[in-house]
Amino acid sequence: MSNLKSIISDNWEKIKFTVYNEYELSKVAYETFIEPLIFHDINEETNEIIISSPDDQAQVIKVITSKYALFFKVTITELIGVDCNVVFILEKDKESGQSAKATNIIRNVNYENANLNSKYLFETFVVGSNNRFAHSAALAVAELPGQVYNPFYIYSSSGMGKTHLIHAIGHSILNNNPNSKVLYTTSEDFTNEVIAAIRSGNATKMVEFREKYRTVDVLLLDDVQFIIGKESTQEEFFHTFNSLHMDNKQIILTSDKPPKDLETLEERLRSRFSWGLIADMQAPDYETRMAILQRNAEQQNKIINNEIFDYIAKNVTSNVRELESAFNKVLAFSKIENKQLNMKGVEETLKDIIYEEKREITPTLIINIVAEHYNVDPAEITSKRKNQEFVQPRHVVMYLCRKLTDYPYKQIAKILGKKDHSTVIHGYDKIKNDILTNEELKNKIDIIIKVINPN
């Protein structure tokens, strides 16, 4: 008997009582489900603890797995100091291992069908002041899917870790209950499946589509904002949402905005997105950025000077994705060039990402970048020509000059060769209003802003 197996066996009654006490289970629940459980074995390669029940009904295993697996996982981890997963089997099947095999088959099939990224776990998610609330809520959802915070709606700008967090929820739910049907998808994939079902002209295809999404236990939908303007997709998702919610199935959504700001999304969907809990995620602070870099180094078994971490953390501040990208670029350069990491090499490698001095945003800079984006000559934007191809970029310049600089309308008008600043006011107002209903224009302007101000 291994040392770890012996420790768990010796502490088994204490583990069960701790589950009962810490999670405030009823006496009936404890005596019915927990007290009879027997510690059977441990797979030390996977740290999977096998617990058997003397009951002879498979349904009992399903109930125990669904309600108490996480309690045992946390309790054993805290008492024994070993991070583990737990599997419940029937006592009568423990010798043959049939129940365990069946459980593993279910787990493998469900993981495969869930579309989850194996790298995105709670264990690899760095918690900081910028995401602590969202992380805590995610843990609660993972513990009791469909029972608290339904739907669970996370929003932030790109690259803050929304996708990582919802994948982590999916993994945790499947670990706790391998029988769960978890499905991750993006709004783009959801839309494409709607289109394919409609285009086929085959009623069976639409039935299959609806069966796929409306029979899951947990639906994870990434970037829900991209269903805006797609009527058939919104219609299908509306009914999918209603079907799952009525059956107390967990719905988890991510977006770049809170529901109230998705102004061109159907009101009936916006209101439903607000039924549960809404959590936002901000850009990571310095301490969190340092922790993320150190965690990445640990995962790749790299010993790196804190001075390098400090340089990257202080200069790449926008989001987690760009922070990790900068770190990976440094590692790649070191490997390709077969050189030891040092500050000079890091600065050289990241010179196209990190600006030593934050460049000043001026109307001239905006004109040049907008002109390049629209593939027109900058001189045409400041000219008096009214060709349609120059009108929108000119209005975008007016909008961005007011949004990104402190220049007054009169000065912007002068730079653009306009006699009356009311023209600039009109251009600014037009773009401001158009981006509320024109998703393509909004995305285009977001891209331009990112080029103008990459930090």
Side-chain angles (χ1 to χ4, degrees), residues 145-167:
Q147 299 180 47
V148 294
Y149 310 145
N150 196 20
F152 180 38
Y153 185 105
I154 311 171
Y155 73 93
S156 75
S157 55
S158 178
M160 298 300 177
K162 300 186 299 293
T163 299
H164 186 147
L165 198 55
I166 67 170
H167 277 265

mmCIF file with all atom_site columns, all heavy atoms in Angstrom, residues 145-167:
data_model
loop_
_atom_site.group_PDB
_atom_site.id
_atom_site.type_symbol
_atom_site.label_atom_id
_atom_site.label_alt_id
_atom_site.label_comp_id
_atom_site.label_asym_id
_atom_site.label_entity_id
_atom_site.label_seq_id
_atom_site.pdbx_PDB_ins_code
_atom_site.Cartn_x
_atom_site.Cartn_y
_atom_site.Cartn_z
_atom_site.occupancy
_atom_site.B_iso_or_equiv
_atom_site.pdbx_formal_charge
_atom_site.auth_seq_id
_atom_site.auth_comp_id
_atom_site.auth_asym_id
_atom_site.auth_atom_id
_atom_site.pdbx_PDB_model_num
ATOM 1   N N   . PRO A 1 145 ? -23.840 24.241 -11.041 1.00 0.00 ? 145 PRO A N   1
ATOM 2   C CA  . PRO A 1 145 ? -24.340 24.699 -12.349 1.00 0.00 ? 145 PRO A CA  1
ATOM 3   C C   . PRO A 1 145 ? -25.862 24.628 -12.428 1.00 0.00 ? 145 PRO A C   1
ATOM 4   O O   . PRO A 1 145 ? -26.471 23.650 -11.989 1.00 0.00 ? 145 PRO A O   1
ATOM 5   C CB  . PRO A 1 145 ? -23.679 23.727 -13.335 1.00 0.00 ? 145 PRO A CB  1
ATOM 6   C CG  . PRO A 1 145 ? -23.299 22.533 -12.520 1.00 0.00 ? 145 PRO A CG  1
ATOM 7   C CD  . PRO A 1 145 ? -22.979 23.057 -11.157 1.00 0.00 ? 145 PRO A CD  1
ATOM 8   N N   . GLY A 1 146 ? -26.453 25.691 -12.941 1.00 0.00 ? 146 GLY A N   1
ATOM 9   C CA  . GLY A 1 146 ? -27.901 25.742 -13.092 1.00 0.00 ? 146 GLY A CA  1
ATOM 10  C C   . GLY A 1 146 ? -28.637 26.144 -11.842 1.00 0.00 ? 146 GLY A C   1
ATOM 11  O O   . GLY A 1 146 ? -29.849 26.363 -11.876 1.00 0.00 ? 146 GLY A O   1
ATOM 12  N N   . GLN A 1 147 ? -27.912 26.258 -10.727 1.00 0.00 ? 147 GLN A N   1
ATOM 13  C CA  . GLN A 1 147 ? -28.576 26.575 -9.465  1.00 0.00 ? 147 GLN A CA  1
ATOM 14  C C   . GLN A 1 147 ? -28.283 27.979 -8.962  1.00 0.00 ? 147 GLN A C   1
ATOM 15  O O   . GLN A 1 147 ? -29.060 28.544 -8.201  1.00 0.00 ? 147 GLN A O   1
ATOM 16  C CB  . GLN A 1 147 ? -28.154 25.553 -8.398  1.00 0.00 ? 147 GLN A CB  1
ATOM 17  C CG  . GLN A 1 147 ? -28.541 24.129 -8.742  1.00 0.00 ? 147 GLN A CG  1
ATOM 18  C CD  . GLN A 1 147 ? -28.118 23.146 -7.668  1.00 0.00 ? 147 GLN A CD  1
ATOM 19  O OE1 . GLN A 1 147 ? -28.347 23.376 -6.477  1.00 0.00 ? 147 GLN A OE1 1
ATOM 20  N NE2 . GLN A 1 147 ? -27.486 22.054 -8.074  1.00 0.00 ? 147 GLN A NE2 1
ATOM 21  N N   . VAL A 1 148 ? -27.131 28.530 -9.354  1.00 0.00 ? 148 VAL A N   1
ATOM 22  C CA  . VAL A 1 148 ? -26.823 29.909 -8.970  1.00 0.00 ? 148 VAL A CA  1
ATOM 23  C C   . VAL A 1 148 ? -26.339 30.654 -10.209 1.00 0.00 ? 148 VAL A C   1
ATOM 24  O O   . VAL A 1 148 ? -25.719 30.081 -11.092 1.00 0.00 ? 148 VAL A O   1
ATOM 25  C CB  . VAL A 1 148 ? -25.708 29.969 -7.893  1.00 0.00 ? 148 VAL A CB  1
ATOM 26  C CG1 . VAL A 1 148 ? -26.176 29.357 -6.597  1.00 0.00 ? 148 VAL A CG1 1
ATOM 27  C CG2 . VAL A 1 148 ? -24.430 29.276 -8.369  1.00 0.00 ? 148 VAL A CG2 1
ATOM 28  N N   . TYR A 1 149 ? -26.644 31.941 -10.277 1.00 0.00 ? 149 TYR A N   1
ATOM 29  C CA  . TYR A 1 149 ? -26.126 32.810 -11.332 1.00 0.00 ? 149 TYR A CA  1
ATOM 30  C C   . TYR A 1 149 ? -26.391 32.231 -12.724 1.00 0.00 ? 149 TYR A C   1
ATOM 31  O O   . TYR A 1 149 ? -25.479 31.855 -13.460 1.00 0.00 ? 149 TYR A O   1
ATOM 32  C CB  . TYR A 1 149 ? -24.619 33.048 -11.159 1.00 0.00 ? 149 TYR A CB  1
ATOM 33  C CG  . TYR A 1 149 ? -24.202 33.474 -9.783  1.00 0.00 ? 149 TYR A CG  1
ATOM 34  C CD1 . TYR A 1 149 ? -22.985 33.066 -9.245  1.00 0.00 ? 149 TYR A CD1 1
ATOM 35  C CD2 . TYR A 1 149 ? -25.023 34.288 -9.002  1.00 0.00 ? 149 TYR A CD2 1
ATOM 36  C CE1 . TYR A 1 149 ? -22.586 33.466 -7.982  1.00 0.00 ? 149 TYR A CE1 1
ATOM 37  C CE2 . TYR A 1 149 ? -24.643 34.684 -7.735  1.00 0.00 ? 149 TYR A CE2 1
ATOM 38  C CZ  . TYR A 1 149 ? -23.422 34.272 -7.224  1.00 0.00 ? 149 TYR A CZ  1
ATOM 39  O OH  . TYR A 1 149 ? -23.027 34.657 -5.962  1.00 0.00 ? 149 TYR A OH  1
ATOM 40  N N   . ASN A 1 150 ? -27.643 32.151 -13.085 1.00 0.00 ? 150 ASN A N   1
ATOM 41  C CA  . ASN A 1 150 ? -27.989 31.615 -14.398 1.00 0.00 ? 150 ASN A CA  1
ATOM 42  C C   . ASN A 1 150 ? -28.930 32.568 -15.139 1.00 0.00 ? 150 ASN A C   1
ATOM 43  O O   . ASN A 1 150 ? -30.043 32.789 -14.689 1.00 0.00 ? 150 ASN A O   1
ATOM 44  C CB  . ASN A 1 150 ? -28.665 30.256 -14.243 1.00 0.00 ? 150 ASN A CB  1
ATOM 45  C CG  . ASN A 1 150 ? -28.701 29.469 -15.534 1.00 0.00 ? 150 ASN A CG  1
ATOM 46  O OD1 . ASN A 1 150 ? -27.939 29.729 -16.458 1.00 0.00 ? 150 ASN A OD1 1
ATOM 47  N ND2 . ASN A 1 150 ? -29.588 28.509 -15.605 1.00 0.00 ? 150 ASN A ND2 1
ATOM 48  N N   . PRO A 1 151 ? -28.460 33.185 -16.225 1.00 0.00 ? 151 PRO A N   1
ATOM 49  C CA  . PRO A 1 151 ? -27.159 32.971 -16.876 1.00 0.00 ? 151 PRO A CA  1
ATOM 50  C C   . PRO A 1 151 ? -26.025 33.697 -16.138 1.00 0.00 ? 151 PRO A C   1
ATOM 51  O O   . PRO A 1 151 ? -26.274 34.620 -15.373 1.00 0.00 ? 151 PRO A O   1
ATOM 52  C CB  . PRO A 1 151 ? -27.358 33.582 -18.259 1.00 0.00 ? 151 PRO A CB  1
ATOM 53  C CG  . PRO A 1 151 ? -28.329 34.700 -18.015 1.00 0.00 ? 151 PRO A CG  1
ATOM 54  C CD  . PRO A 1 151 ? -29.297 34.157 -16.979 1.00 0.00 ? 151 PRO A CD  1
ATOM 55  N N   . PHE A 1 152 ? -24.821 33.253 -16.420 1.00 0.00 ? 152 PHE A N   1
ATOM 56  C CA  . PHE A 1 152 ? -23.618 33.932 -15.932 1.00 0.00 ? 152 PHE A CA  1
ATOM 57  C C   . PHE A 1 152 ? -22.999 34.643 -17.125 1.00 0.00 ? 152 PHE A C   1
ATOM 58  O O   . PHE A 1 152 ? -22.657 34.014 -18.117 1.00 0.00 ? 152 PHE A O   1
ATOM 59  C CB  . PHE A 1 152 ? -22.649 32.922 -15.335 1.00 0.00 ? 152 PHE A CB  1
ATOM 60  C CG  . PHE A 1 152 ? -21.371 33.529 -14.806 1.00 0.00 ? 152 PHE A CG  1
ATOM 61  C CD1 . PHE A 1 152 ? -21.371 34.750 -14.147 1.00 0.00 ? 152 PHE A CD1 1
ATOM 62  C CD2 . PHE A 1 152 ? -20.158 32.868 -14.963 1.00 0.00 ? 152 PHE A CD2 1
ATOM 63  C CE1 . PHE A 1 152 ? -20.199 35.308 -13.658 1.00 0.00 ? 152 PHE A CE1 1
ATOM 64  C CE2 . PHE A 1 152 ? -18.981 33.403 -14.477 1.00 0.00 ? 152 PHE A CE2 1
ATOM 65  C CZ  . PHE A 1 152 ? -19.007 34.641 -13.832 1.00 0.00 ? 152 PHE A CZ  1
ATOM 66  N N   . TYR A 1 153 ? -22.886 35.967 -17.017 1.00 0.00 ? 153 TYR A N   1
ATOM 67  C CA  . TYR A 1 153 ? -22.488 36.809 -18.150 1.00 0.00 ? 153 TYR A CA  1
ATOM 68  C C   . TYR A 1 153 ? -21.200 37.558 -17.787 1.00 0.00 ? 153 TYR A C   1
ATOM 69  O O   . TYR A 1 153 ? -21.160 38.303 -16.813 1.00 0.00 ? 153 TYR A O   1
ATOM 70  C CB  . TYR A 1 153 ? -23.615 37.798 -18.441 1.00 0.00 ? 153 TYR A CB  1
ATOM 71  C CG  . TYR A 1 153 ? -23.454 38.682 -19.660 1.00 0.00 ? 153 TYR A CG  1
ATOM 72  C CD1 . TYR A 1 153 ? -24.177 38.429 -20.826 1.00 0.00 ? 153 TYR A CD1 1
ATOM 73  C CD2 . TYR A 1 153 ? -22.612 39.794 -19.638 1.00 0.00 ? 153 TYR A CD2 1
ATOM 74  C CE1 . TYR A 1 153 ? -24.059 39.266 -21.933 1.00 0.00 ? 153 TYR A CE1 1
ATOM 75  C CE2 . TYR A 1 153 ? -22.484 40.616 -20.745 1.00 0.00 ? 153 TYR A CE2 1
ATOM 76  C CZ  . TYR A 1 153 ? -23.211 40.354 -21.886 1.00 0.00 ? 153 TYR A CZ  1
ATOM 77  O OH  . TYR A 1 153 ? -23.089 41.176 -22.986 1.00 0.00 ? 153 TYR A OH  1
ATOM 78  N N   . ILE A 1 154 ? -20.127 37.295 -18.551 1.00 0.00 ? 154 ILE A N   1
ATOM 79  C CA  . ILE A 1 154 ? -18.836 37.945 -18.303 1.00 0.00 ? 154 ILE A CA  1
ATOM 80  C C   . ILE A 1 154 ? -18.522 38.876 -19.463 1.00 0.00 ? 154 ILE A C   1
ATOM 81  O O   . ILE A 1 154 ? -18.632 38.470 -20.620 1.00 0.00 ? 154 ILE A O   1
ATOM 82  C CB  . ILE A 1 154 ? -17.693 36.912 -18.182 1.00 0.00 ? 154 ILE A CB  1
ATOM 83  C CG1 . ILE A 1 154 ? -18.068 35.778 -17.226 1.00 0.00 ? 154 ILE A CG1 1
ATOM 84  C CG2 . ILE A 1 154 ? -16.410 37.587 -17.731 1.00 0.00 ? 154 ILE A CG2 1
ATOM 85  C CD1 . ILE A 1 154 ? -17.071 34.629 -17.244 1.00 0.00 ? 154 ILE A CD1 1
ATOM 86  N N   . TYR A 1 155 ? -18.126 40.114 -19.155 1.00 0.00 ? 155 TYR A N   1
ATOM 87  C CA  . TYR A 1 155 ? -17.757 41.017 -20.252 1.00 0.00 ? 155 TYR A CA  1
ATOM 88  C C   . TYR A 1 155 ? -16.434 41.715 -19.956 1.00 0.00 ? 155 TYR A C   1
ATOM 89  O O   . TYR A 1 155 ? -16.066 41.955 -18.801 1.00 0.00 ? 155 TYR A O   1
ATOM 90  C CB  . TYR A 1 155 ? -18.858 42.048 -20.516 1.00 0.00 ? 155 TYR A CB  1
ATOM 91  C CG  . TYR A 1 155 ? -18.997 43.138 -19.477 1.00 0.00 ? 155 TYR A CG  1
ATOM 92  C CD1 . TYR A 1 155 ? -18.323 44.350 -19.623 1.00 0.00 ? 155 TYR A CD1 1
ATOM 93  C CD2 . TYR A 1 155 ? -19.806 42.971 -18.354 1.00 0.00 ? 155 TYR A CD2 1
ATOM 94  C CE1 . TYR A 1 155 ? -18.451 45.362 -18.676 1.00 0.00 ? 155 TYR A CE1 1
ATOM 95  C CE2 . TYR A 1 155 ? -19.947 43.963 -17.414 1.00 0.00 ? 155 TYR A CE2 1
ATOM 96  C CZ  . TYR A 1 155 ? -19.265 45.169 -17.577 1.00 0.00 ? 155 TYR A CZ  1
ATOM 97  O OH  . TYR A 1 155 ? -19.378 46.161 -16.641 1.00 0.00 ? 155 TYR A OH  1
ATOM 98  N N   . SER A 1 156 ? -15.721 42.012 -21.014 1.00 0.00 ? 156 SER A N   1
ATOM 99  C CA  . SER A 1 156 ? -14.474 42.773 -20.933 1.00 0.00 ? 156 SER A CA  1
ATOM 100 C C   . SER A 1 156 ? -14.016 43.044 -22.350 1.00 0.00 ? 156 SER A C   1
ATOM 101 O O   . SER A 1 156 ? -14.545 42.474 -23.313 1.00 0.00 ? 156 SER A O   1
ATOM 102 C CB  . SER A 1 156 ? -13.391 41.981 -20.192 1.00 0.00 ? 156 SER A CB  1
ATOM 103 O OG  . SER A 1 156 ? -12.875 40.954 -21.020 1.00 0.00 ? 156 SER A OG  1
ATOM 104 N N   . SER A 1 157 ? -13.032 43.892 -22.497 1.00 0.00 ? 157 SER A N   1
ATOM 105 C CA  . SER A 1 157 ? -12.430 44.081 -23.802 1.00 0.00 ? 157 SER A CA  1
ATOM 106 C C   . SER A 1 157 ? -11.616 42.833 -24.141 1.00 0.00 ? 157 SER A C   1
ATOM 107 O O   . SER A 1 157 ? -11.414 41.953 -23.298 1.00 0.00 ? 157 SER A O   1
ATOM 108 C CB  . SER A 1 157 ? -11.556 45.333 -23.822 1.00 0.00 ? 157 SER A CB  1
ATOM 109 O OG  . SER A 1 157 ? -10.587 45.289 -22.800 1.00 0.00 ? 157 SER A OG  1
ATOM 110 N N   . SER A 1 158 ? -11.126 42.773 -25.356 1.00 0.00 ? 158 SER A N   1
ATOM 111 C CA  . SER A 1 158 ? -10.447 41.579 -25.838 1.00 0.00 ? 158 SER A CA  1
ATOM 112 C C   . SER A 1 158 ? -9.164  41.289 -25.055 1.00 0.00 ? 158 SER A C   1
ATOM 113 O O   . SER A 1 158 ? -8.437  42.200 -24.658 1.00 0.00 ? 158 SER A O   1
ATOM 114 C CB  . SER A 1 158 ? -10.110 41.751 -27.321 1.00 0.00 ? 158 SER A CB  1
ATOM 115 O OG  . SER A 1 158 ? -9.424  40.641 -27.820 1.00 0.00 ? 158 SER A OG  1
ATOM 116 N N   . GLY A 1 159 ? -8.912  39.993 -24.829 1.00 0.00 ? 159 GLY A N   1
ATOM 117 C CA  . GLY A 1 159 ? -7.637  39.577 -24.259 1.00 0.00 ? 159 GLY A CA  1
ATOM 118 C C   . GLY A 1 159 ? -7.527  39.614 -22.755 1.00 0.00 ? 159 GLY A C   1
ATOM 119 O O   . GLY A 1 159 ? -6.427  39.509 -22.210 1.00 0.00 ? 159 GLY A O   1
ATOM 120 N N   . MET A 1 160 ? -8.641  39.735 -22.038 1.00 0.00 ? 160 MET A N   1
ATOM 121 C CA  . MET A 1 160 ? -8.596  39.839 -20.571 1.00 0.00 ? 160 MET A CA  1
ATOM 122 C C   . MET A 1 160 ? -8.752  38.496 -19.860 1.00 0.00 ? 160 MET A C   1
ATOM 123 O O   . MET A 1 160 ? -8.616  38.409 -18.649 1.00 0.00 ? 160 MET A O   1
ATOM 124 C CB  . MET A 1 160 ? -9.692  40.789 -20.073 1.00 0.00 ? 160 MET A CB  1
ATOM 125 C CG  . MET A 1 160 ? -9.552  42.197 -20.567 1.00 0.00 ? 160 MET A CG  1
ATOM 126 S SD  . MET A 1 160 ? -7.989  42.951 -20.054 1.00 0.00 ? 160 MET A SD  1
ATOM 127 C CE  . MET A 1 160 ? -8.135  44.537 -20.891 1.00 0.00 ? 160 MET A CE  1
ATOM 128 N N   . GLY A 1 161 ? -9.073  37.428 -20.591 1.00 0.00 ? 161 GLY A N   1
ATOM 129 C CA  . GLY A 1 161 ? -9.175  36.112 -19.971 1.00 0.00 ? 161 GLY A CA  1
ATOM 130 C C   . GLY A 1 161 ? -10.578 35.555 -19.852 1.00 0.00 ? 161 GLY A C   1
ATOM 131 O O   . GLY A 1 161 ? -10.788 34.569 -19.138 1.00 0.00 ? 161 GLY A O   1
ATOM 132 N N   . LYS A 1 162 ? -11.533 36.148 -20.555 1.00 0.00 ? 162 LYS A N   1
ATOM 133 C CA  . LYS A 1 162 ? -12.916 35.650 -20.498 1.00 0.00 ? 162 LYS A CA  1
ATOM 134 C C   . LYS A 1 162 ? -13.001 34.195 -20.969 1.00 0.00 ? 162 LYS A C   1
ATOM 135 O O   . LYS A 1 162 ? -13.622 33.344 -20.328 1.00 0.00 ? 162 LYS A O   1
ATOM 136 C CB  . LYS A 1 162 ? -13.845 36.506 -21.373 1.00 0.00 ? 162 LYS A CB  1
ATOM 137 C CG  . LYS A 1 162 ? -13.930 37.964 -21.020 1.00 0.00 ? 162 LYS A CG  1
ATOM 138 C CD  . LYS A 1 162 ? -14.985 38.688 -21.858 1.00 0.00 ? 162 LYS A CD  1
ATOM 139 C CE  . LYS A 1 162 ? -14.713 38.653 -23.354 1.00 0.00 ? 162 LYS A CE  1
ATOM 140 N NZ  . LYS A 1 162 ? -13.513 39.428 -23.751 1.00 0.00 ? 162 LYS A NZ  1
ATOM 141 N N   . THR A 1 163 ? -12.370 33.943 -22.121 1.00 0.00 ? 163 THR A N   1
ATOM 142 C CA  . THR A 1 163 ? -12.431 32.604 -22.699 1.00 0.00 ? 163 THR A CA  1
ATOM 143 C C   . THR A 1 163 ? -11.770 31.583 -21.770 1.00 0.00 ? 163 THR A C   1
ATOM 144 O O   . THR A 1 163 ? -12.292 30.481 -21.575 1.00 0.00 ? 163 THR A O   1
ATOM 145 C CB  . THR A 1 163 ? -11.761 32.582 -24.078 1.00 0.00 ? 163 THR A CB  1
ATOM 146 O OG1 . THR A 1 163 ? -12.465 33.479 -24.954 1.00 0.00 ? 163 THR A OG1 1
ATOM 147 C CG2 . THR A 1 163 ? -11.775 31.186 -24.677 1.00 0.00 ? 163 THR A CG2 1
ATOM 148 N N   . HIS A 1 164 ? -10.639 31.950 -21.192 1.00 0.00 ? 164 HIS A N   1
ATOM 149 C CA  . HIS A 1 164 ? -9.961  31.061 -20.242 1.00 0.00 ? 164 HIS A CA  1
ATOM 150 C C   . HIS A 1 164 ? -10.905 30.698 -19.097 1.00 0.00 ? 164 HIS A C   1
ATOM 151 O O   . HIS A 1 164 ? -11.029 29.524 -18.725 1.00 0.00 ? 164 HIS A O   1
ATOM 152 C CB  . HIS A 1 164 ? -8.716  31.772 -19.703 1.00 0.00 ? 164 HIS A CB  1
ATOM 153 C CG  . HIS A 1 164 ? -7.859  30.914 -18.830 1.00 0.00 ? 164 HIS A CG  1
ATOM 154 N ND1 . HIS A 1 164 ? -6.488  31.047 -18.778 1.00 0.00 ? 164 HIS A ND1 1
ATOM 155 C CD2 . HIS A 1 164 ? -8.163  29.910 -17.962 1.00 0.00 ? 164 HIS A CD2 1
ATOM 156 C CE1 . HIS A 1 164 ? -5.989  30.155 -17.932 1.00 0.00 ? 164 HIS A CE1 1
ATOM 157 N NE2 . HIS A 1 164 ? -6.987  29.462 -17.408 1.00 0.00 ? 164 HIS A NE2 1
ATOM 158 N N   . LEU A 1 165 ? -11.587 31.693 -18.571 1.00 0.00 ? 165 LEU A N   1
ATOM 159 C CA  . LEU A 1 165 ? -12.432 31.478 -17.394 1.00 0.00 ? 165 LEU A CA  1
ATOM 160 C C   . LEU A 1 165 ? -13.618 30.574 -17.697 1.00 0.00 ? 165 LEU A C   1
ATOM 161 O O   . LEU A 1 165 ? -13.952 29.688 -16.898 1.00 0.00 ? 165 LEU A O   1
ATOM 162 C CB  . LEU A 1 165 ? -12.913 32.826 -16.846 1.00 0.00 ? 165 LEU A CB  1
ATOM 163 C CG  . LEU A 1 165 ? -13.441 32.831 -15.409 1.00 0.00 ? 165 LEU A CG  1
ATOM 164 C CD1 . LEU A 1 165 ? -12.418 32.255 -14.449 1.00 0.00 ? 165 LEU A CD1 1
ATOM 165 C CD2 . LEU A 1 165 ? -13.816 34.251 -14.992 1.00 0.00 ? 165 LEU A CD2 1
ATOM 166 N N   . ILE A 1 166 ? -14.255 30.748 -18.851 1.00 0.00 ? 166 ILE A N   1
ATOM 167 C CA  . ILE A 1 166 ? -15.433 29.903 -19.112 1.00 0.00 ? 166 ILE A CA  1
ATOM 168 C C   . ILE A 1 166 ? -15.020 28.476 -19.475 1.00 0.00 ? 166 ILE A C   1
ATOM 169 O O   . ILE A 1 166 ? -15.737 27.525 -19.167 1.00 0.00 ? 166 ILE A O   1
ATOM 170 C CB  . ILE A 1 166 ? -16.374 30.509 -20.177 1.00 0.00 ? 166 ILE A CB  1
ATOM 171 C CG1 . ILE A 1 166 ? -15.734 30.558 -21.559 1.00 0.00 ? 166 ILE A CG1 1
ATOM 172 C CG2 . ILE A 1 166 ? -16.848 31.884 -19.757 1.00 0.00 ? 166 ILE A CG2 1
ATOM 173 C CD1 . ILE A 1 166 ? -16.738 30.922 -22.656 1.00 0.00 ? 166 ILE A CD1 1
ATOM 174 N N   . HIS A 1 167 ? -13.857 28.310 -20.103 1.00 0.00 ? 167 HIS A N   1
ATOM 175 C CA  . HIS A 1 167 ? -13.350 26.953 -20.324 1.00 0.00 ? 167 HIS A CA  1
ATOM 176 C C   . HIS A 1 167 ? -13.057 26.281 -18.980 1.00 0.00 ? 167 HIS A C   1
ATOM 177 O O   . HIS A 1 167 ? -13.320 25.086 -18.813 1.00 0.00 ? 167 HIS A O   1
ATOM 178 C CB  . HIS A 1 167 ? -12.072 26.993 -21.168 1.00 0.00 ? 167 HIS A CB  1
ATOM 179 C CG  . HIS A 1 167 ? -12.317 27.076 -22.642 1.00 0.00 ? 167 HIS A CG  1
ATOM 180 N ND1 . HIS A 1 167 ? -12.342 25.972 -23.457 1.00 0.00 ? 167 HIS A ND1 1
ATOM 181 C CD2 . HIS A 1 167 ? -12.565 28.135 -23.445 1.00 0.00 ? 167 HIS A CD2 1
ATOM 182 C CE1 . HIS A 1 167 ? -12.580 26.347 -24.705 1.00 0.00 ? 167 HIS A CE1 1
ATOM 183 N NE2 . HIS A 1 167 ? -12.721 27.660 -24.719 1.00 0.00 ? 167 HIS A NE2 1
#
